[in-house]
Amino acid sequence: MTGVQFGELPYLSENKIRSCAYSPGGSSIAVGLFDGDINVYSTSSWEKILQLKGHSDLVRRVVYSPTGDKIASASIDKTIRMWDMETGSQLHVLKDHASAVYGLAYSPKGDMIASGADDMMVRLWDVITGDCRMVLSGHTGYVYGVAYSPSGNRIVSCSQDTTLRLWDVETGECIRIMSGHNGVVWDVTYSPHGNQVASASWDKTIRLWNVETGSCLPILYGHTNKVFSVAYSPKGDQVVSVSMDATVRFWDVETGSCRHTLTGHRQSVFCVSYSPKGDKVVTGSADMTLRLWDASAASSRLLSGGHSAAVVSIKCSPKGDLIVTGSGDNTIRLWDVEFGACHRTLSGHTETVLGVAFSPKGDWIASASADKSVRLWKVESGECKYILASHTVITIVVFSPEGDAVASGSFDKTMKLWDVLTGVCYKTFSGHTDDILSVAYAPDGKQIATASKDHTVRIWDVDTGECCKVLEGHTNWVGQVVYSPQGDQLASASSDETIRLWDIQTGDSRLTLTSHTSHVLGVTYSANGKLLASGSWDKTVRLWDVSSGECRAVVENFPAEVDCVSWSTSSDSNYLVTGCEDGSVLKWQVHEEDQCRVQLQWSASNGGLTMTGAFIQGARGLTALNKQLLKQRGAIGEHETAENSSSVADIPAEQPKLSVHRLLRVWKK
């Protein structure tokens, strides 16, 4: 997606852009170039109004004075230069740094300048005299960025040593060291309110820090290469970052979610600056272009065109680029994974679509409905090619690993296999004593597992049609069953509020996962099989460690009951999607580190849903989102710490009332 782009300055085609800054009044933009020049452009005409020459090497940073009448620049040539904006004349050349100067910032009053350099020092300069007033030492690597607090009494610096340091301007004392990045910290900036700083790192992340405590707030994941610059919006509600991956990303400060990703630059993007009003963002790149973006459009992430009833089935495509959902509104929808846009709506079923599935190649979709039919759709055209009818209410449909057959389960207590090319039912499996609610193929295609309202899971031999094993242990209906990617294990989700992990060879229940407080309707394995996600009518999604059964993370305070979950099986992405009773579809990015992190990336519903509608709690003390999210959208009270996370299960869960399609979903005839 290219985003909304106002303009590109084509006359910078002979030089790469290294730094850029908006003037305080928004009337001009200053650009520092690789050859040492600084160009100043009018934002009304895009004409070059000044060219400042003096540096002999790359200009790493350009900054305007608070009044906008001066510009200061820092260069690899070891100097800082101050310029008069009206005449373009050079006011001072500051030379005390012993090596390349990278960081530069004006104080809020405009009487001082702070700089950081390869000599590992932060220096404070008098703007009037050009004298160095103070040297701050402590970093053990090059100092790449500096920023004044809005009050002017603090300075934050970032370094090659992977840390940030907070300094007292009056005493020069280092107040706090903030550690957490796993690579060079290339840029740092204060929030407009002065309570946070944001840092950009070569570890591909942006971190937000609480200045008073030094604690790390949300960690912003999404860039796929080094992050070079970060800036707060004037309101402080979002940050924008640029990266070596050639993208511009907008982030929600409160949730840590990526609101928008803009593409258009063809090479590394080195610098970014907000306009004073916050409605525009300017970026500069190694592709020799300066681009201006509509920041207001980028921050608008209310997505519409969603389902008008419960989303009861959801699946990710094999490539990970699409999501398919089935709903109580009788439709199937295809979604773009990156931006959450509804790509296509497939209509034809006359009752709730209870099951959806992608073919192994991702070119077909199968759907199962309460209208007693299975439909096969072409993904590219959205055309329904086949309608298969034989069961009563059909609850589930899945493709075989080879893609030549689909299996369906029904209220008639049977599972049927259908030939995809002919649409003919060629085998029926009988044995369950109540409705079949879920069907899953083994990865090798030799076995099929079914789950039923009769409280059991059965494993069938595909060739012979014989029941190999009956797995017993659940005390209520079993709503879903899935194979692990390795095929050695089954997971089942039940109305008894538990998930069970089964050994395929022995049929034994290896682990029982017991933290949900209502029906568990969805369960899905991660692509590597190490984690399991479950969705429940207690309005939570839980992530479990498959080997230990430990709950690694909890996503709480969903807008409605969670009906279905699906994990992307693509090795190129690690995301989870959820469907809820209110018709919303939500995409979550999962980061499987020592502390498992889950971040909301987008949310789509018929009425438009913001990305702050869920609270994310890490069972082991995650800092991806803070406590404030629990209070959003009507939630109250304080959330417990990870050490006392069991208290979550002590909150009584109100059992939801059952509408017609909910009756179908919990299989109450």
Side-chain angles (χ1 to χ4, degrees), residues 153-174:
N153 63 343
R154 298 283 188 270
I155 288 173
V156 65
S157 58
C158 63
S159 171
Q160 181 190 39
D161 64 15
T162 74
T163 71
L164 288 75
R165 287 179 179 254
L166 191 65
W167 310 86
D168 185 287
V169 171
E170 293 296 324
T171 66
E173 177 189 0
C174 179

Side-chain angles (χ1 to χ4, degrees), residues 345-404:
T345 300
L346 310 181
S347 300
H349 284 296
T350 58
E351 296 288 346
T352 298
V353 181
L354 295 169
V356 289
F358 277 101
S359 65
K361 293 182 180 180
D363 54 345
W364 288 87
I365 288 171
S367 57
S369 172
D371 66 8
K372 306 179 184 179
S373 74
V374 171
R375 288 176 179 250
L376 300 181
W377 312 78
K378 290 292 292 182
V379 170
E380 186 175 359
S381 64
E383 180 185 1
C384 178
K385 286 289 188 180
Y386 300 106
I387 302 176
L388 317 177
S390 179
H391 289 290
T392 56
V393 171
I394 304 177
T395 58
I396 187 71
V397 63
V398 293
F399 275 93
S400 66
E402 297 297 324
D404 57 344

Side-chain angles (χ1 to χ4, degrees), residues 120-122 136-141 143 159 161 163 165 167 174 177:
M120 299 184 281
M121 302 297 179
V122 176
L136 312 178
S137 60
H139 280 295
T140 58
V143 180
S159 171
D161 64 15
T163 71
R165 287 179 179 254
W167 310 86
C174 179
I177 300 173

Side-chain angles (χ1 to χ4, degrees), residues 373-614:
S373 74
V374 171
R375 288 176 179 250
L376 300 181
W377 312 78
K378 290 292 292 182
V379 170
E380 186 175 359
S381 64
E383 180 185 1
C384 178
K385 286 289 188 180
Y386 300 106
I387 302 176
L388 317 177
S390 179
H391 289 290
T392 56
V393 171
I394 304 177
T395 58
I396 187 71
V397 63
V398 293
F399 275 93
S400 66
E402 297 297 324
D404 57 344
V406 292
S408 60
S410 170
F411 272 16
D412 67 6
K413 309 173 190 177
T414 70
M415 173 183 63
K416 295 181 183 290
L417 299 187
W418 307 80
D419 187 286
V420 169
L421 294 180
T422 65
V424 173
C425 175
Y426 64 90
K427 191 171 290 186
T428 300
F429 298 74
S430 300
H432 281 293
T433 59
D434 213 327
D435 309 338
I436 293 180
L437 310 181
S438 182
V439 175
Y441 264 98
D444 62 7
K446 296 179 180 179
Q447 292 182 339
I448 295 178
T450 54
S452 171
K453 194 177 174 182
D454 66 11
H455 306 182
T456 70
V457 174
R458 289 176 180 255
I459 300 176
W460 309 83
D461 185 284
V462 172
D463 290 334
T464 66
E466 294 181 359
C467 179
C468 307
K469 289 184 177 67
V470 179
L471 312 183
E472 297 179 306
H474 284 296
T475 59
N476 209 328
W477 53 260
V478 187
Q480 189 167 16
V481 62
V482 290
Y483 274 91
S484 66
Q486 295 77 22
D488 59 341
Q489 183 175 266
L490 276 173
S492 56
S494 172
S495 184
D496 66 10
E497 304 176 2
T498 71
I499 303 105
R500 286 180 179 257
L501 305 185
W502 307 85
D503 184 282
I504 294 296
Q505 295 299 320
T506 65
D508 295 335
S509 177
R510 190 175 65 81
L511 286 172
T512 303
L513 314 180
T514 58
S515 291
H516 283 295
T517 57
S518 187
H519 311 299
V520 186
L521 296 185
V523 65
T524 180
Y525 280 95
S526 62
N528 60 19
K530 294 181 179 180
L531 291 178
L532 189 77
S534 57
S536 168
W537 271 20
D538 62 13
K539 300 184 181 180
T540 73
V541 167
R542 293 176 181 265
L543 270 62
W544 310 84
D545 185 287
V546 170
S547 60
S548 67
E550 175 192 7
C551 183
R552 294 286 305 281
V554 184
V555 186
E556 296 185 281
N557 200 34
F558 271 83
E561 297 83 1
V562 182
D563 280 338
C564 49
V565 295
S566 180
W567 214 312
S568 170
T569 58
S570 171
S571 59
D572 297 329
S573 58
N574 193 19
Y575 68 84
L576 184 73
V577 288
T578 55
C580 297
E581 275 288 314
D582 66 349
S584 61
V585 179
L586 301 92
K587 179 195 172 188
W588 309 84
Q589 194 69 31
V590 182
H591 305 280
E592 298 182 47
E593 293 97 2
D594 291 338
Q595 291 186 336
C596 185
R597 296 178 176 88
V598 184
Q599 288 182 307
L600 178 62
Q601 290 207 313
W602 56 255
S603 167
S605 71
N606 190 50
L609 187 65
T610 67
M611 296 198 300
T612 57

Side-chain angles (χ1 to χ4, degrees), residues 297-337:
S299 65
S300 179
R301 291 294 287 150
L302 293 179
L303 305 172
S304 59
H307 288 291
S308 59
V311 177
V312 295
S313 51
I314 191 166
K315 286 292 183 294
C316 303
S317 67
K319 293 181 180 179
D321 59 336
L322 292 174
I323 298 163
V324 63
T325 53
S327 169
D329 64 10
N330 308 343
T331 69
I332 301 152
R333 292 179 188 262
L334 280 170
W335 306 85
D336 178 273
V337 165

